[in-house]
Amino acid sequence: MAELTFSATILNVNDDNATRYLTTRTLRLAGYRVLEAANGEEALRLAAQERPDVVVLDVKLPDISGYDVCQRLRSQPHTASIAVMHTSATFVTPDKKVRGLEGGADAYLTEPFEGEELIATVRSLLRMRRAEQDLRRRAEHLTEADRRKDLFLAMLAHELRNPLAAITTAAGILERRAPADPKDARMVSIIQRQTNHLARLVDDLLDVSRLTRGKVELRQARVDLRGVLEQVLTVFRPQAEGRQLKLESSLPAVPMWMEADSTRLVQVFTNLLDNALKYTDAGGTLTVTAERLLSEDGSASARVRVKDTGIGIRPEILPSVFELFSQADESLERTRGGLGIGLTLVHNLVEMHGGRVEAHSDGPGRGSEFVVWLPLQPQAVDAEQEVVLPELVKRRRHILLVEDNTDARQALQDLLETWGHRVEVAADGLRGLELAVQRTPEVALVDIGLPGLDGYRMAEELRAKIGRGIRLVALTGYGGTDDHTRAREAGFDLHLVKPVKPDDLSRLLSEL
């Protein structure tokens, strides 16, 4: 046991000189370094100064009790992890032992005790303390590794989104031109689909990391769930047709109002439909149905079913289908693709909205069904309020584009000019600030990671120089909640995460 004793320090606290001497001699013969204290205040001072591994602490001391000494050791971060062994020749009743142990002591010995019993107890406490230290070090390493992972994922997303933004914008320009060859149109369509798929994978990867750490915040507003489903279905119909799948839907004739984050709801049903699409072969059918339900207490909820005729889910996999990295297709060839995180996102986001989601399947080859329940606002709200959506006003704008990535800047400039906007560009924050002050554009699309003067500083300088006379839109690869908050605090009106789809950008410019 020598490895447990050669470096350990023991603080022996006892006001009885003879007992203190015998205890110290026993511990030193066992190879320990021993410090001594005759009262509680001296014990606290030595504990804070020397940081012993174990304190052998008599309960009855002349100034303060051993119970109080132990509690004060536990209350201070720098002494809280020291192992404490109470000793007593008088306070030996069960209730006194319980008081000592509940007060923070790790062991209790009744005097007089044998030397072997003392040494065995000290060794046990040292093993326990070192096990705790190992666990603490591992926890610290895991915390640091988690921090580095989050930093890496944020940087990875930023680095991936810049080229994705350039590709998406360039493909958007090509899509609006009449192709010279039918093959060109097919190639552009492939580029768009695969770029959108990559962008979704990047977003899902970051979102699941933030969700597992509780760092996703919902931006709730009054949302029509029916409108969200229609939006998702509009996006997926061409994809289903391209895969030779039938996409059927049955939605209510009236709005389904709820308090929700519309972006996150789109993400939920996009992931469910993407999952159904991925696991259903050509000739199959995807079905989306939604209905309003009323409970006995008068509360309303929505039940949305996403059903497919695909490969189904094996019974042994079904209970864990919402767990991280769970895959229905576990074959070596991995023909269905995916990261196994989409359904985890669905489950967490639905629960954050106060709902629940279930998965059903009759087994392999018999399709799957995912059912989502979400709380709705009372029907009376729908009858009282009529929302009129304004027509999008198309108009030419004077736009400043500040982007240091050459390809992304050129592609976005070409796209904006194709729409008839007047565009000026800058490759760094200082030049962007100069142009904004001199030319007073209506809108500035500003990358955050700029050389010289980053996007946040540029926004702050612009607000200080020209106030609210310009609309500032942040275009960035960083999409965390903290990034949105920081952009808003710097003076940006909107925060968009790359790659921005051309249709979304066109709508944004029309609605400003």
Side-chain angles (χ1 to χ4, degrees), residues 24 48 70 81 87 98 127 156 166 278 306 362 417 463 501:
T24 295
C70 182
S81 63
T87 65
V98 168
R127 286 193 295 269
L156 175 65
K278 181 167 59 179
V306 179
D362 291 332
E417 289 177 345
R463 290 302 184 212
K501 295 179 181 178

Side-chain angles (χ1 to χ4, degrees), residues 369-445:
E369 182 181 43
F370 290 85
V371 186
V372 177
W373 284 268
L374 290 166
L376 295 178
Q377 293 179 337
Q379 184 71 38
V381 176
D382 297 335
E384 292 170 1
Q385 298 186 28
E386 181 182 359
V387 176
V388 179
L389 298 177
E391 289 292 324
L392 297 183
V393 180
K394 300 287 185 181
R395 53 166 291 188
R396 296 182 179 181
R397 296 189 181 276
H398 180 191
I399 299 173
L400 171 63
L401 171 61
V402 189
E403 168 65 73
D404 64 322
N405 184 288
T406 304
D407 288 340
R409 184 174 66 249
Q410 186 62 62
L412 192 51
Q413 180 183 1
D414 289 346
L415 179 63
L416 293 169
E417 289 177 345
T418 299
W419 292 340
H421 298 298
R422 176 187 167 201
V423 184
E424 296 186 81
V425 297
D428 59 74
L430 289 172
R431 178 58 178 162
L433 180 62
E434 180 183 353
L435 285 174
V437 172
Q438 291 176 353
R439 310 292 176 82
T440 60
E442 296 173 79
V443 183
L445 306 177

Side-chain angles (χ1 to χ4, degrees), residues 438-474:
Q438 291 176 353
R439 310 292 176 82
T440 60
E442 296 173 79
V443 183
L445 306 177
V446 183
D447 185 33
I448 295 298
L450 295 170
L453 189 72
D454 66 38
Y456 298 127
R457 287 285 309 282
M458 180 181 164
E460 290 168 354
E461 293 284 338
L462 274 176
R463 290 302 184 212
K465 291 179 184 295
I466 61 177
R468 309 299 300 185
I470 184 174
R471 286 298 186 97
L472 297 180
V473 179

